[in-house]
Amino acid sequence: MSAVLLDGKQLAKEIQAEIAERVAGFKQQSGVTPCLAAVLVGSDPASEVYVRNKQRACERVGMESRLFRLESQITEDALLDLVSQLNRNAEVHGILVQLPLPSAIRTQRVLDAVHPSKDVDAFHPENVGLLSQGRPRFLPCTPHGVMQILHRSGIRASGQHAVVVGRSEIVGKPLAMLLMQKSSALGPDAANATVTVCHSRSRNLKEITRAADILIAAIGQPRFITAEMVKPGAAVIDVGVNRVAEGLVGDVDFEAVRAIAGHITPVPGGVGPLTVTMLLENTLQAARQQVA
Ligand code: NDP
């Protein structure tokens, strides 16, 4: 039997319609339009596409977006100056610094400079700390997108064994935190999983992934998760985006795994659209917090 396909595009559309309604209500009440500032350094084609998608999504839900484009040779100090200006600009509620930055710039230093109340990517140490204490200001976008897919598809996390392959600061680690938390704005069923995190030094990976009720791949290796690594009936969420000769593929061997999984996300059209949507959610929240 073939797995149920979790359509991230459709879910994102539904959530964006909900956000658009809340944006309209907020604008009417406060007279303020939520505004996202996107900082793009250099001309990496993938980054250009990501930023354009985020800007278009802002427009769709009635938010403003401003693009700050900088040459790849820009100095770290000049970039920090721009971030500082945006921090002080009361018309800007959220700041997004598109990664990767050129190697001459210390990425962490720049991300740390974004004011925590405008840190809609939730990368600032203060926001990471709040999340780890179970009282998040903003939820990190991709992990939150994964939680929304599970919740809105009726896949309960509570009591389930969730295995996350990948421990990055952006995806794997915060996702593990969201899955294991005691309470969630989405309700108790959307948290309280038993979580195992795997990485490149994990031994017996196949045995661990085969024990997962919910298997999440955030690795960055095309089609790494094969059918024999998946428990029949498991929910498989593929965060990976890898460019190969045929186009974009995920970290999961989609065709083979869909034949045995219970649920599966496609790439593209799975987690990606939710990531952008959760950025909109955070920008609205940032505006609410700053205007209150
Ligand atoms: P990173 O490269 O930062 O992290 C990859 C993780 O995978 C690391 O923890 C690494 O382990 C682990 N890993 C690598 N090889 C193996 C292996 N052979 N076995 C087990 N674990 C392994 O990547 P990101 O977390 O930033 O991104 C992961 C993927 O998700 C990428 O394809 C990226 O493009 C995609 N992505 C998609 C988004 C979306 O919106 N859909 C958003 C963000 C990312 P170790 O720590 O030991 O090195």
Side-chain angles (χ1 to χ4, degrees):
M1 216 177 73
S2 195
V4 174
L5 197 68
L6 303 175
D7 184 346
K9 253 191 183 165
Q10 180 56 30
L11 278 176
K13 219 170 150 185
E14 287 165 25
I15 301 174
Q16 287 185 20
E18 294 166 18
I19 293 174
E21 266 185 40
R22 286 190 284 131
V23 169
F26 173 76
K27 280 159 82 168
Q28 203 172 28
Q29 205 180 23
S30 65
V32 173
T33 300
C35 173
L36 176 72
V39 179
L40 178 60
V41 182
S43 54
D44 173 55
S47 294
E48 298 257 2
V49 172
Y50 289 139
V51 167
R52 200 177 320 128
N53 286 345
K54 289 167 188 174
Q55 287 198 285
R56 282 193 189 142
C58 279
E59 283 157 25
R60 270 201 302 276
V61 299
M63 291 186 191
E64 188 188 341
S65 73
R66 296 185 190 176
L67 175 60
F68 296 83
R69 235 174 217 289
L70 302 169
E71 299 284 316
S72 59
Q73 298 88 348
I74 183 125
T75 63
E76 187 177 287
D77 281 346
L79 179 54
L80 288 170
D81 252 8
L82 172 62
V83 170
S84 165
Q85 279 172 39
L86 295 173
N87 283 339
R88 291 193 305 271
N89 185 342
E91 289 175 0
V92 166
H93 305 103
I95 302 171
L96 156 91
V97 180
Q98 184 63 45
L99 301 180
L101 292 172
S103 54
I105 293 177
R106 286 167 290 182
T107 301
Q108 197 59 56
R109 197 156 173 241
V110 175
L111 297 180
D112 289 358
V114 174
H115 194 281
S117 64
K118 297 191 177 187
D119 169 40
V120 286
D121 265 330
F123 291 160
H124 191 282
E126 183 177 312
N127 289 325
V128 174
L130 287 170
L131 174 68
S132 80
Q133 290 186 341
R135 48 188 188 122
R137 179 188 276 130
F138 301 118
L139 295 179
C141 301
T142 302
H144 187 194
V146 171
M147 300 307 289
Q148 287 281 352
I149 291 181
L150 293 173
H151 173 65
R152 289 179 183 250
S153 309
I155 299 165
R156 185 193 161 91
S158 180
Q160 302 292 297
H161 185 194
V163 173
V164 181
V165 190
R167 58 174 164 184
S168 71
E169 303 298 332
I170 294 176
V171 189
K173 208 189 273 183
L175 180 54
M177 262 191 264
L178 286 181
L179 285 160
M180 77 169 81
Q181 67 190 341
K182 220 166 180 171
S183 62
S184 155
L186 300 175
D189 281 356
N192 292 297
T194 303
V195 182
T196 303
V197 179
C198 301
H199 45 78
S200 66
R201 304 280 183 107
S202 297
R203 273 187 285 148
N204 305 326
L205 187 63
K206 187 172 102 182
E207 279 166 36
I208 302 169
T209 56
R210 270 191 75 89
D213 303 307
I214 299 170
L215 176 60
I216 298 160
I219 310 164
Q221 309 241 6
R223 305 188 182 106
F224 182 88
I225 302 289
T226 56
E228 59 183 16
M229 297 171 81
V230 176
K231 174 158 91 175
V236 180
I237 309 292
D238 191 352
V239 179
V241 179
N242 308 288
R243 187 162 289 284
V244 296
E246 312 93 273
L248 290 184
V249 298
D251 290 343
V252 174
D253 184 354
F254 181 79
E255 288 307 331
V257 171
R258 82 182 296 190
I260 62 154
H263 296 83
I264 191 166
T265 57
V267 176
V271 176
L274 272 299
T275 296
V276 178
T277 306
M278 295 308 121
L279 179 72
L280 303 176
E281 174 69 39
N282 284 350
T283 306
L284 173 58
Q285 277 186 33
R288 272 184 205 272
Q289 289 163 16
Q290 285 160 52
V291 168

